[in-house]
Amino acid sequence: MIVERYPDLKSNQNFRDLTVQLEGTENRIAVARQDYNTAVTKYNTKRRKFPTNMISSILGFDEKPLYKASEGSQDVPSVDFTK
């Protein structure tokens, strides 16, 4: 981990602020992904129920896929603080 190699970064307020912002961003993305998947699930469920299923098929409302993160998106990107 970067902080272990550069102990003075731990005490740097800007670095701490950056880590808090990154954590907040990750949390907002997770919440948005969950909200999207919840909305898609409700939509797909509603369009399968009668009488909505008849109207949705006539008007071309297809089932929507849930959001799935792409391969490798859970990997933490490398950051170089030496420059």
Side-chain angles (χ1 to χ4, degrees), residues 36-49:
Y36 174 82
N37 284 341
T38 299
V40 167
T41 300
K42 286 180 182 178
Y43 167 83
N44 288 338
T45 301
K46 183 162 182 132
R47 84 168 258 299
R48 279 188 239 122
K49 290 184 178 179

Side-chain angles (χ1 to χ4, degrees), residues 64-76:
K64 302 298 180 194
L66 296 177
Y67 177 81
K68 294 179 184 163
S70 58
E71 191 86 18
S73 63
Q74 68 275 12
D75 297 339
V76 178

Side-chain angles (χ1 to χ4, degrees), residues 17-79:
D17 291 346
L18 175 63
T19 57
V20 168
Q21 288 175 1
L22 290 174
E23 289 171 3
T25 300
E26 290 173 357
N27 291 338
R28 285 190 297 278
I29 290 170
V31 168
R33 183 183 316 118
Q34 186 171 0
D35 289 348
Y36 174 82
N37 284 341
T38 299
V40 167
T41 300
K42 286 180 182 178
Y43 167 83
N44 288 338
T45 301
K46 183 162 182 132
R47 84 168 258 299
R48 279 188 239 122
K49 290 184 178 179
F50 182 80
T52 310
N53 61 349
M54 297 173 64
I55 297 168
S56 64
S57 64
I58 291 170
L59 296 177
F61 289 99
D62 297 327
E63 187 165 315
K64 302 298 180 194
L66 296 177
Y67 177 81
K68 294 179 184 163
S70 58
E71 191 86 18
S73 63
Q74 68 275 12
D75 297 339
V76 178
S78 62
V79 180

